[in-house]
Amino acid sequence: MSISGSMSSALSGLNAAARSAELISSNIANALTDGYGRRELQVTARRVGASGQGVQVVGVSRELNQALLADRRLASANAANMNLQADFLARLSVALGGPEDAGSLSGRFATFDTTLIAASADPQSNARQTNVVEAARALTTSFRAVSKEIQAARSEADGQIATQVATVNSALVAIAELNRNITASSAIGRDSSALLDQRQQLIDQVATIIPVREIRAENGRIALYSAGGTALLDGQPAKLAFSHVGIIAPDMTIGSGALSGVTINGRAINTGANGTIAGGTLAANFAIRDELAPDAQVELDATARDLISRFQDSAIDPTLAPGDAGLFTDGSAAFLTANEEGIAARLGLNGAVDPNAGGAVWRIRDGIGAVTPGPVGQTALLSSMQSVLNEARLTASGALFGSSRGALSLAANVVTGVANERLLRETEAGFAAARATALQSLELAGGVDTDRELQDLLLVEQAYAANAKVIQTADDMIQILLGM
Amino acid sequence: MTISSSLNAGVAGLNANATRLATISDNIANSGTYGYKRANADFQSMVITQSQGAGAYSAGGVRATSTRMIDERGALVGTSNALDIAVSGRGMLPVTSAVGLKDGFASGSMMMTTTGSFRPDSNGTLRTESGLVLLGWPANADGTIPVLPRDTVSGLKPVTINANQQAGDPTTAMKLGVNLPATSTVAGAAGNTLPLSVEYFGNLGTSEALDISFAPTVPGTGSSNEWTMIIKDSAQAGAVIGEYTLTFDNTRGAGGTLLSVATVSGGAYSATEGQLGLVVAGGPLTMTIGRLGDPNGLTQLSDSFAPTSITKNGSPVGSLTAVEVDENGYINATYDTGFTRRLYQIPMVDVPNLNGLVALNNQTYKISPNSGSFFLWDAGDGPTGAVVGYAREGSTTDVAAELTALIQTQRAYSSNAKVIQTVDEMLQETTNIKR
């Protein structure tokens, strides 16, 4: 009977309108939720057998601009990568100090130079000799502090790598599980939008650490490959492995085997700038640990070596026997060129001039190896120390290897070199961040528009009322029939 | 005597209209019963005076016959249960009673119905609340339906669905879309081998992997654009199942696409299909790497190693999540890993004379000598219509028509009663002639 048919049609219309209102309310509620894809109800005319009968809800579609999402992921990974590297250089630059700052490495060199001049002007002044010793001590402390800062940054990077590897592992397991759930629910035609939202958030989490490429398969399944081409999730999640080291010394490198690289499913991968995981924060941490920080350490070591070598010379101080330590020491011993690696961390002051270690400050004037104080008026050693500090010498190692420079200029070069690189990286990081922000706002522009949702809600309300009216009319018609 | 024949005719009229009233009341009572077929009362006149121009007329009266209009079809009504089954067109569903099932479903106990709301019982057998059990032909393990006799019920089995069953779906085809870095085949390149691991599913639903490695050929000068692809199967302890030399085009327009594929070992490359005929542990597996000059398969462009699209069929072992019936009458199971498998086919029963069927309780019908013998059709074939899931067939009763008929019947009944009353009065008159 056709009246019951119209009632059934109207009922399906009521259902569809109610579902639609539910989705609109969910959209409005999640207008500010990150990673929420706007939902829309997909309806079609219902066909039962050969005849049409009302409306049918076929599913819920989740709107998403796949290309924009992929772009945004790569851009934010890149921005995070740049940011981390710029942060390290900023930290290093702060530890070294600015060229104009008295407390900076180059400032300490200048102070040491000044105190030497002052002491040679008045060689009998015990106070001025003490100033020289204290300035030398400050210089060694400065070297050691910067070196410690560099190694601390490496240690932190190592720790962060361990955390990030654990995060990626657990996120991949969760994504694999969500993949299964999404497949199961889309296979039987259920709405899997909430699961898709969750999965997108998890992929975003992985994507900042390792930039990923998402490959879609049937039934809503996805596979994840790193931008460098390694499978992170293909049915089964990949297992990343990394062993964390507690404390890192300058001589510990990935090449020496003391530090760990990352393995994916037991296969070692290239962690460098053009490796398979390049582009994200994981690669940035590897860059800090294995490239930026060791490079800075090499420069610092070269400067420290240059400083030690200038004073460890019997031509300057005749009281020194060959093989004896000069004013500056490696730990408490003489410096050997073979031990250059990490010298900045061990740079010390000779105990013979250090009152704290039982020495006497007059040895600055009379020679490190002098047994008794000499004539109080002699200035030969003090002035030759001052001149050797400023003498242009061939640099034995580091980036300025082979160029002829004074110790002060070498130190200033380290400081300005780091400052320049920091500026460069910060500019790059600024560009990357601007790009990521632009893409992010484009992505948000495609999200929930509450005005539009409310407009849709009005239409849904009208549709609901119209369907209810049809039911009422059909009821009236049956009443008329029964009233005959 | 003519006057008493009128009395008899009036009584016959009352009887006939009472019969019609019974059909109307039954129809209205079942106006909400799914699958109900309207009963119809037909009146036949009876004749006593046969000769033309006879002086007297004797009323023969009326006789009522009732028939059930089984060939009328009700409107289909949508529902929300996948196994609410109706038929759009001619044909009926084979069912048996739960009692018949206990006997081991002997031949002859098959009944037919046009619609039913089937749900699994404690044994997984699909049955309605009224105890009707759905019958169908079970599918083979690979989803094909065996050839069974169509004029007997011998192949039909009660449809039983085990809710906890699991099934796997092995991978038989795979498409590999990977970009290889062109810079790796230039003179002076490092020549690193690029690894790629692709998961596939074996015949037992286990997860296996094809380990594919791409090794560039680094020439002394210029660029070779040549790679050696080696495919290993984890299910065969890493044995090499294919080795190919890939050369890429460097001409303008077709740059970076495959120029030639030379088979070193393993299954041959088909240039027309763009496929490698690999043989993995479980059997053949075709791997599509693209035709020569095809920009969608393997390419060699720029400096990045990037899997662009890797697709494959097959799925891991999954549990049953849904059972649905399609328009061909196939009952398909959907598993949570996304693949579907055919479990049963529900044939359509058709008889030459539908109205000759014997109507039984619960809107079921039985073969009778009047209906003719049955034949089991594939749904949609021959005269039969399609099977429709998520639908019930509504009652064929039209309440408006029945109410109209009710008014007519009431009028006819009172008219007949009036005839009886009039005859009675006339007889009274006759009796009163003699005081």
Side-chain angles (χ1 to χ4, degrees):
Chain A
M1 175 170 140
S2 53
I3 293 182
S4 62
S6 37
M7 272 185 142
S8 153
S9 291
L11 188 65
S12 70
L14 283 181
N15 258 331
R19 282 289 298 278
S20 201
E22 183 192 334
L23 284 184
I24 291 172
S25 68
S26 157
N27 283 342
I28 294 175
N30 283 295
L32 300 173
T33 309
D34 235 10
Y36 180 85
R38 182 177 173 270
R39 275 91 149 134
E40 203 170 87
L41 196 68
Q42 299 296 320
V43 292
T44 174
R46 181 163 70 178
R47 194 178 61 93
V48 181
S51 59
Q53 198 177 86
V55 63
Q56 185 183 10
V57 176
V58 278
V60 175
S61 67
R62 182 169 173 271
E63 286 176 16
L64 184 68
N65 186 340
Q66 203 63 43
L68 186 62
L69 180 68
D71 247 10
R72 198 265 298 152
R73 277 187 186 144
L74 288 180
S76 30
N78 188 34
N81 175 307
M82 294 285 178
N83 225 3
L84 215 54
Q85 299 195 31
D87 280 355
F88 165 74
L89 286 164
R91 180 177 174 180
L92 181 61
S93 177
V94 167
L96 284 169
E100 71 292 335
D101 182 3
S104 73
L105 188 69
S106 54
R108 301 256 194 226
F109 263 95
T111 316
F112 180 51
D113 187 34
T114 325
T115 53
L116 278 175
I117 294 170
S120 61
D122 186 3
Q124 52 195 331
S125 163
N126 203 36
R128 291 192 178 187
Q129 285 156 17
T130 308
N131 281 348
V132 172
V133 171
E134 288 312 320
R137 194 206 309 283
L139 193 53
T140 60
T141 316
S142 187
F143 267 107
R144 284 203 303 271
V146 174
S147 177
K148 203 170 159 189
E149 188 71 30
I150 290 172
Q151 298 312 323
R154 290 182 76 196
S155 272
E156 275 167 32
D158 198 69
Q160 275 194 24
I161 292 168
T163 318
Q164 287 175 341
V165 163
T167 309
V168 169
N169 274 335
S170 59
L172 288 178
V173 169
I175 294 170
E177 182 60 36
L178 280 171
N179 246 354
R180 269 193 288 281
N181 291 339
I182 288 168
T183 309
S185 62
S186 64
I188 53 173
R190 277 206 209 116
D191 174 21
S192 56
S193 306
L195 297 171
L196 289 171
D197 282 344
Q198 247 182 54
R199 186 175 70 184
Q200 190 183 324
Q201 279 173 3
L202 280 170
I203 297 174
D204 277 352
Q205 200 181 357
V206 174
T208 3
I209 298 172
I210 301 173
V212 293
R213 204 188 293 276
E214 190 180 314
I215 295 179
R216 325 212 112 224
E218 80 283 8
N219 282 322
R221 245 199 308 258
I222 54 152
L224 288 182
Y225 286 85
S226 79
T230 300
L232 295 176
L233 176 81
D234 178 24
Q236 301 298 316
K239 184 101 188 96
L240 277 69
F242 174 78
S243 54
H244 175 44
V245 179
I247 285 184
I248 295 184
D251 60 340
M252 291 166 76
T253 62
I254 191 163
S256 75
L259 296 183
S260 160
V262 164
T263 59
I264 296 183
N265 286 336
R267 190 180 280 158
I269 55 158
N270 176 4
T271 55
N274 49 8
T276 51
I277 56 162
T281 49
L282 187 61
N285 277 321
F286 271 109
I288 291 170
R289 196 194 71 173
D290 298 334
E291 286 165 35
L292 293 175
D295 284 356
Q297 182 74 40
V298 163
E299 288 311 300
L300 202 62
D301 285 348
T303 315
R305 173 193 173 161
D306 180 76
L307 179 68
I308 293 186
S309 315
R310 284 176 195 260
F311 292 93
Q312 188 176 308
D313 186 356
S314 46
I316 308 294
D317 183 352
T319 63
L320 286 179
D324 275 359
L327 179 59
F328 297 101
T329 58
D330 176 357
S332 56
F335 169 72
L336 299 172
T337 47
N339 297 337
E340 184 186 331
E341 200 170 42
I343 178 66
R346 304 188 303 268
L347 189 68
L349 188 62
N350 201 320
V353 298
D354 185 0
N356 297 347
V361 292
W362 53 260
R363 289 206 176 88
I364 285 289
R365 180 191 65 207
D366 297 329
I368 303 292
V371 183
T372 53
V376 294
Q378 69 171 340
T379 62
L381 180 58
L382 282 168
S383 56
S384 65
M385 271 184 175
Q386 197 268 326
S387 64
V388 82
L389 188 64
N390 291 300
E391 182 189 271
R393 278 198 182 192
L394 285 182
T395 311
S397 59
L400 295 174
F401 173 74
S403 74
S404 192
R405 280 170 189 271
L408 267 64
S409 134
L410 198 58
N413 195 65
V414 170
V415 172
T416 51
V418 168
N420 276 344
E421 183 147 3
R422 171 192 177 182
L423 199 65
L424 213 67
R425 298 271 176 162
E426 276 178 352
T427 317
E428 276 179 46
F431 283 140
R435 181 157 181 269
T437 315
L439 286 169
Q440 208 150 25
S441 40
L442 268 180
E443 197 187 359
L444 289 177
V448 177
D449 176 356
T450 38
D451 292 355
R452 186 177 150 195
E453 299 297 334
L454 288 172
Q455 192 184 336
D456 286 354
L457 194 58
L458 287 179
L459 294 176
V460 166
E461 192 186 352
Q462 282 173 9
Y464 196 87
N467 278 304
K469 189 77 198 169
V470 170
I471 292 181
Q472 203 178 4
T473 310
D475 182 42
D476 287 351
M477 283 163 78
I478 291 172
Q479 286 298 335
I480 290 168
L481 192 61
L482 291 174
M484 275 199 303
Chain B
M1 193 173 120
T2 323
I3 200 160
S4 63
S5 80
S6 309
L7 191 63
N8 281 337
V11 172
L14 286 182
N15 266 335
N17 279 297
T19 304
R20 172 172 269 181
L21 184 66
T23 62
I24 292 171
S25 62
D26 202 13
N27 288 346
I28 292 180
N30 282 298
S31 63
T33 307
Y34 290 123
Y36 178 77
K37 302 292 186 185
R38 190 168 67 88
N40 194 23
D42 232 359
F43 292 168
Q44 280 87 26
S45 70
M46 289 190 287
V47 176
I48 291 175
T49 311
Q50 287 173 328
S51 53
Q52 285 284 340
Y57 184 87
S58 279
V62 64
R63 188 177 58 183
T65 53
S66 69
T67 47
R68 201 166 281 278
M69 311 305 286
I70 301 174
D71 58 350
E72 272 184 27
R73 278 187 286 276
L76 299 191
V77 181
T79 66
S80 58
N81 175 21
L83 291 173
D84 281 358
I85 304 175
V87 181
S88 151
R90 202 179 158 108
M92 292 197 189
L93 305 167
V95 290
T96 188
S97 64
V99 181
L101 193 65
K102 281 196 188 112
D103 299 344
F105 179 54
S107 170
S109 62
M110 183 189 76
M111 297 184 294
M112 297 143 72
T113 188
T114 52
T115 184
S117 175
F118 298 95
R119 314 270 167 134
D121 66 6
S122 57
N123 298 321
T125 307
L126 292 186
R127 57 193 286 175
T128 64
E129 283 302 313
S130 52
L132 300 177
V133 174
L134 186 64
L135 299 174
W137 289 322
N140 294 329
D142 63 354
T144 56
I145 304 293
V147 178
L148 290 163
R150 289 174 177 270
D151 51 357
T152 77
V153 295
S154 59
L156 292 174
K157 294 277 178 291
V159 175
T160 304
I161 289 160
N162 182 355
N164 297 323
Q165 65 179 313
Q166 294 196 323
D169 180 22
T171 303
T172 55
M174 188 182 280
K175 181 176 180 298
L176 204 60
V178 177
N179 184 56
L180 300 169
T183 48
S184 294
T185 60
V186 177
N192 290 334
T193 299
L194 302 172
L196 181 71
S197 172
V198 184
E199 186 191 36
Y200 78 91
F201 301 101
N203 295 347
L204 302 177
T206 49
S207 166
E208 303 291 348
L210 287 184
D211 282 309
I212 307 169
S213 65
F214 298 96
T217 306
V218 182
T221 55
S223 54
S224 67
N225 297 321
E226 191 181 277
W227 294 78
T228 306
M229 175 168 76
I230 298 175
I231 304 170
K232 293 175 182 167
D233 182 13
S234 72
Q236 300 175 51
V240 175
I241 59 167
E243 182 174 347
Y244 305 88
T245 306
L246 313 172
T247 316
F248 290 92
D249 207 334
N250 63 355
T251 56
R252 181 160 301 176
T257 58
L258 278 171
L259 183 67
S260 72
V261 176
T263 308
V264 178
S265 68
Y269 171 72
S270 151
T272 49
E273 302 288 330
Q275 288 174 343
L276 304 176
L278 300 177
V279 179
V280 294
L285 186 154
T286 53
M287 178 185 276
T288 308
I289 59 168
R291 288 189 295 274
L292 301 181
D294 182 357
N296 291 317
L298 291 179
T299 55
Q300 188 211 249
L301 294 162
S302 186
D303 62 348
S304 70
F305 174 57
T308 49
S309 74
I310 294 175
T311 54
K312 65 211 167 205
N313 63 6
S315 57
V317 171
S319 312
L320 185 76
T321 52
V323 176
E324 286 188 327
V325 64
D326 69 8
E327 58 183 13
N328 296 316
Y330 294 123
I331 292 191
N332 295 315
T334 304
Y335 293 82
D336 61 357
T337 47
F339 90 100
T340 57
R341 198 173 67 156
R342 190 174 294 165
L343 300 178
Y344 283 92
Q345 181 184 5
I346 309 300
M348 290 281 91
V349 193
D350 191 40
V351 292
N353 174 20
L354 284 173
N355 288 338
L357 291 167
V358 177
L360 302 172
N361 286 341
N362 303 327
Q363 301 89 262
T364 54
Y365 307 95
K366 209 169 76 176
I367 306 292
S368 77
N370 287 336
S371 66
S373 57
F374 68 89
F375 189 79
L376 301 175
W377 294 90
D378 289 342
D381 268 10
T384 59
V387 173
V388 186
Y390 292 105
R392 300 295 305 272
E393 183 181 335
S395 168
T396 55
T397 304
D398 180 349
V399 176
E402 299 296 340
L403 287 177
T404 314
L406 189 61
I407 294 167
Q408 289 170 346
T409 309
Q410 191 184 8
R411 287 271 168 241
Y413 195 88
S414 19
S415 303
N416 277 301
K418 197 66 167 178
V419 168
I420 292 172
Q421 197 183 356
T422 309
V423 169
D424 181 37
E425 280 168 13
M426 283 168 75
L427 286 173
Q428 196 67 44
E429 290 293 326
T430 318
T431 316
N432 286 348
I433 295 173
K434 165 83 178 71
R435 290 194 193 263

mmCIF file of all heavy atoms in Angstrom, chain B residues 233-256:
data_model
loop_
_atom_site.group_PDB
_atom_site.id
_atom_site.type_symbol
_atom_site.label_atom_id
_atom_site.label_comp_id
_atom_site.label_asym_id
_atom_site.label_seq_id
_atom_site.Cartn_x
_atom_site.Cartn_y
_atom_site.Cartn_z
ATOM 1 N N ASP B 233 63.123 -14.278 -1.469
ATOM 2 C CA ASP B 233 61.879 -14.647 -0.803
ATOM 3 C C ASP B 233 62.185 -15.106 0.621
ATOM 4 O O ASP B 233 62.943 -16.057 0.816
ATOM 5 C CB ASP B 233 61.211 -15.771 -1.599
ATOM 6 C CG ASP B 233 59.879 -16.174 -0.990
ATOM 7 O OD1 ASP B 233 59.381 -15.433 -0.123
ATOM 8 O OD2 ASP B 233 59.345 -17.217 -1.408
ATOM 9 N N SER B 234 61.600 -14.455 1.604
ATOM 10 C CA SER B 234 61.872 -14.830 2.999
ATOM 11 C C SER B 234 61.292 -16.206 3.328
ATOM 12 O O SER B 234 61.755 -16.886 4.225
ATOM 13 C CB SER B 234 61.296 -13.785 3.947
ATOM 14 O OG SER B 234 59.888 -13.892 3.965
ATOM 15 N N ALA B 235 60.255 -16.619 2.593
ATOM 16 C CA ALA B 235 59.642 -17.919 2.878
ATOM 17 C C ALA B 235 60.539 -19.060 2.416
ATOM 18 O O ALA B 235 60.326 -20.207 2.791
ATOM 19 C CB ALA B 235 58.281 -18.014 2.188
ATOM 20 N N GLN B 236 61.539 -18.759 1.559
ATOM 21 C CA GLN B 236 62.466 -19.800 1.101
ATOM 22 C C GLN B 236 63.855 -19.521 1.649
ATOM 23 O O GLN B 236 64.853 -19.661 0.947
ATOM 24 C CB GLN B 236 62.500 -19.840 -0.426
ATOM 25 C CG GLN B 236 61.153 -20.140 -1.047
ATOM 26 C CD GLN B 236 61.191 -20.052 -2.559
ATOM 27 O OE1 GLN B 236 62.036 -20.645 -3.203
ATOM 28 N NE2 GLN B 236 60.277 -19.293 -3.117
ATOM 29 N N ALA B 237 63.888 -19.047 2.892
ATOM 30 C CA ALA B 237 65.143 -18.762 3.575
ATOM 31 C C ALA B 237 66.029 -17.824 2.770
ATOM 32 O O ALA B 237 67.243 -17.988 2.704
ATOM 33 C CB ALA B 237 65.887 -20.066 3.886
ATOM 34 N N GLY B 238 65.414 -16.825 2.135
ATOM 35 C CA GLY B 238 66.189 -15.796 1.436
ATOM 36 C C GLY B 238 66.746 -16.234 0.104
ATOM 37 O O GLY B 238 67.689 -15.630 -0.397
ATOM 38 N N ALA B 239 66.165 -17.294 -0.502
ATOM 39 C CA ALA B 239 66.657 -17.742 -1.806
ATOM 40 C C ALA B 239 66.309 -16.707 -2.868
ATOM 41 O O ALA B 239 65.266 -16.061 -2.802
ATOM 42 C CB ALA B 239 66.025 -19.085 -2.167
ATOM 43 N N VAL B 240 67.223 -16.544 -3.853
ATOM 44 C CA VAL B 240 66.972 -15.589 -4.938
ATOM 45 C C VAL B 240 65.921 -16.188 -5.865
ATOM 46 O O VAL B 240 66.082 -17.301 -6.370
ATOM 47 C CB VAL B 240 68.271 -15.303 -5.717
ATOM 48 C CG1 VAL B 240 67.986 -14.414 -6.912
ATOM 49 C CG2 VAL B 240 69.294 -14.659 -4.801
ATOM 50 N N ILE B 241 64.792 -15.450 -6.060
ATOM 51 C CA ILE B 241 63.758 -15.970 -6.967
ATOM 52 C C ILE B 241 63.715 -15.183 -8.274
ATOM 53 O O ILE B 241 62.933 -15.498 -9.148
ATOM 54 C CB ILE B 241 62.373 -15.976 -6.291
ATOM 55 C CG1 ILE B 241 61.985 -14.561 -5.852
ATOM 56 C CG2 ILE B 241 62.341 -16.922 -5.120
ATOM 57 C CD1 ILE B 241 60.526 -14.458 -5.474
ATOM 58 N N GLY B 242 64.549 -14.176 -8.387
ATOM 59 C CA GLY B 242 64.577 -13.435 -9.646
ATOM 60 C C GLY B 242 65.706 -12.439 -9.660
ATOM 61 O O GLY B 242 65.998 -11.801 -8.648
ATOM 62 N N GLU B 243 66.377 -12.331 -10.801
ATOM 63 C CA GLU B 243 67.425 -11.337 -10.945
ATOM 64 C C GLU B 243 67.289 -10.719 -12.329
ATOM 65 O O GLU B 243 67.165 -11.434 -13.326
ATOM 66 C CB GLU B 243 68.807 -11.985 -10.784
ATOM 67 C CG GLU B 243 69.923 -10.961 -10.871
ATOM 68 C CD GLU B 243 71.292 -11.551 -10.564
ATOM 69 O OE1 GLU B 243 71.372 -12.668 -10.056
ATOM 70 O OE2 GLU B 243 72.277 -10.858 -10.858
ATOM 71 N N TYR B 244 67.248 -9.403 -12.383
ATOM 72 C CA TYR B 244 66.963 -8.721 -13.641
ATOM 73 C C TYR B 244 67.926 -7.557 -13.822
ATOM 74 O O TYR B 244 68.308 -6.916 -12.838
ATOM 75 C CB TYR B 244 65.531 -8.192 -13.663
ATOM 76 C CG TYR B 244 64.524 -9.274 -13.397
ATOM 77 C CD1 TYR B 244 64.138 -9.583 -12.093
ATOM 78 C CD2 TYR B 244 64.003 -10.028 -14.443
ATOM 79 C CE1 TYR B 244 63.255 -10.605 -11.827
ATOM 80 C CE2 TYR B 244 63.109 -11.058 -14.194
ATOM 81 C CZ TYR B 244 62.737 -11.338 -12.881
ATOM 82 O OH TYR B 244 61.874 -12.359 -12.641
ATOM 83 N N THR B 245 68.297 -7.278 -15.047
ATOM 84 C CA THR B 245 69.085 -6.085 -15.343
ATOM 85 C C THR B 245 68.147 -5.058 -15.950
ATOM 86 O O THR B 245 67.529 -5.309 -16.981
ATOM 87 C CB THR B 245 70.219 -6.421 -16.319
ATOM 88 O OG1 THR B 245 70.960 -7.501 -15.749
ATOM 89 C CG2 THR B 245 71.134 -5.235 -16.512
ATOM 90 N N LEU B 246 68.002 -3.930 -15.275
ATOM 91 C CA LEU B 246 67.082 -2.890 -15.717
ATOM 92 C C LEU B 246 67.883 -1.772 -16.351
ATOM 93 O O LEU B 246 68.862 -1.305 -15.770
ATOM 94 C CB LEU B 246 66.310 -2.313 -14.535
ATOM 95 C CG LEU B 246 65.704 -3.303 -13.547
ATOM 96 C CD1 LEU B 246 65.163 -2.548 -12.347
ATOM 97 C CD2 LEU B 246 64.597 -4.088 -14.208
ATOM 98 N N THR B 247 67.490 -1.352 -17.547
ATOM 99 C CA THR B 247 68.132 -0.202 -18.174
ATOM 100 C C THR B 247 67.074 0.870 -18.364
ATOM 101 O O THR B 247 65.944 0.570 -18.760
ATOM 102 C CB THR B 247 68.727 -0.587 -19.532
ATOM 103 O OG1 THR B 247 69.392 -1.830 -19.386
ATOM 104 C CG2 THR B 247 69.714 0.456 -20.003
ATOM 105 N N PHE B 248 67.447 2.092 -18.038
ATOM 106 C CA PHE B 248 66.483 3.187 -18.129
ATOM 107 C C PHE B 248 66.822 4.100 -19.287
ATOM 108 O O PHE B 248 67.984 4.280 -19.655
ATOM 109 C CB PHE B 248 66.457 3.972 -16.817
ATOM 110 C CG PHE B 248 65.855 3.195 -15.698
ATOM 111 C CD1 PHE B 248 66.652 2.430 -14.848
ATOM 112 C CD2 PHE B 248 64.480 3.197 -15.501
ATOM 113 C CE1 PHE B 248 66.093 1.693 -13.839
ATOM 114 C CE2 PHE B 248 63.913 2.465 -14.482
ATOM 115 C CZ PHE B 248 64.724 1.710 -13.643
ATOM 116 N N ASP B 249 65.760 4.693 -19.837
ATOM 117 C CA ASP B 249 65.850 5.573 -20.998
ATOM 118 C C ASP B 249 66.393 6.930 -20.552
ATOM 119 O O ASP B 249 66.043 7.413 -19.487
ATOM 120 C CB ASP B 249 64.431 5.738 -21.555
ATOM 121 C CG ASP B 249 64.451 6.047 -23.026
ATOM 122 O OD1 ASP B 249 65.456 6.605 -23.463
ATOM 123 O OD2 ASP B 249 63.455 5.735 -23.709
ATOM 124 N N ASN B 250 67.254 7.540 -21.390
ATOM 125 C CA ASN B 250 67.681 8.898 -21.047
ATOM 126 C C ASN B 250 67.356 9.882 -22.164
ATOM 127 O O ASN B 250 67.935 10.953 -22.240
ATOM 128 C CB ASN B 250 69.169 8.932 -20.689
ATOM 129 C CG ASN B 250 70.030 8.523 -21.855
ATOM 130 O OD1 ASN B 250 69.502 8.117 -22.896
ATOM 131 N ND2 ASN B 250 71.341 8.624 -21.702
ATOM 132 N N THR B 251 66.420 9.477 -23.057
ATOM 133 C CA THR B 251 66.062 10.391 -24.139
ATOM 134 C C THR B 251 65.040 11.401 -23.643
ATOM 135 O O THR B 251 64.365 11.170 -22.641
ATOM 136 C CB THR B 251 65.456 9.622 -25.323
ATOM 137 O OG1 THR B 251 64.355 8.879 -24.839
ATOM 138 C CG2 THR B 251 66.475 8.704 -25.952
ATOM 139 N N ARG B 252 64.929 12.517 -24.360
ATOM 140 C CA ARG B 252 63.985 13.561 -23.965
ATOM 141 C C ARG B 252 62.558 13.050 -24.136
ATOM 142 O O ARG B 252 62.242 12.385 -25.104
ATOM 143 C CB ARG B 252 64.209 14.813 -24.820
ATOM 144 C CG ARG B 252 63.283 15.937 -24.462
ATOM 145 C CD ARG B 252 63.814 17.253 -24.938
ATOM 146 N NE ARG B 252 65.126 17.544 -24.377
ATOM 147 C CZ ARG B 252 65.855 18.608 -24.702
ATOM 148 N NH1 ARG B 252 65.404 19.450 -25.588
ATOM 149 N NH2 ARG B 252 67.013 18.827 -24.159
ATOM 150 N N GLY B 253 61.701 13.359 -23.189
ATOM 151 C CA GLY B 253 60.303 12.924 -23.281
ATOM 152 C C GLY B 253 60.063 11.616 -22.568
ATOM 153 O O GLY B 253 59.105 11.483 -21.824
ATOM 154 N N ALA B 254 60.938 10.633 -22.779
ATOM 155 C CA ALA B 254 60.752 9.337 -22.136
ATOM 156 C C ALA B 254 61.799 9.129 -21.046
ATOM 157 O O ALA B 254 61.994 8.017 -20.577
ATOM 158 C CB ALA B 254 60.833 8.220 -23.160
ATOM 159 N N GLY B 255 62.506 10.201 -20.674
ATOM 160 C CA GLY B 255 63.598 10.085 -19.711
ATOM 161 C C GLY B 255 63.156 9.452 -18.409
ATOM 162 O O GLY B 255 62.118 9.796 -17.867
ATOM 163 N N GLY B 256 63.954 8.517 -17.928
ATOM 164 C CA GLY B 256 63.695 7.913 -16.629
ATOM 165 C C GLY B 256 62.789 6.708 -16.660
ATOM 166 O O GLY B 256 62.607 6.058 -15.648
#
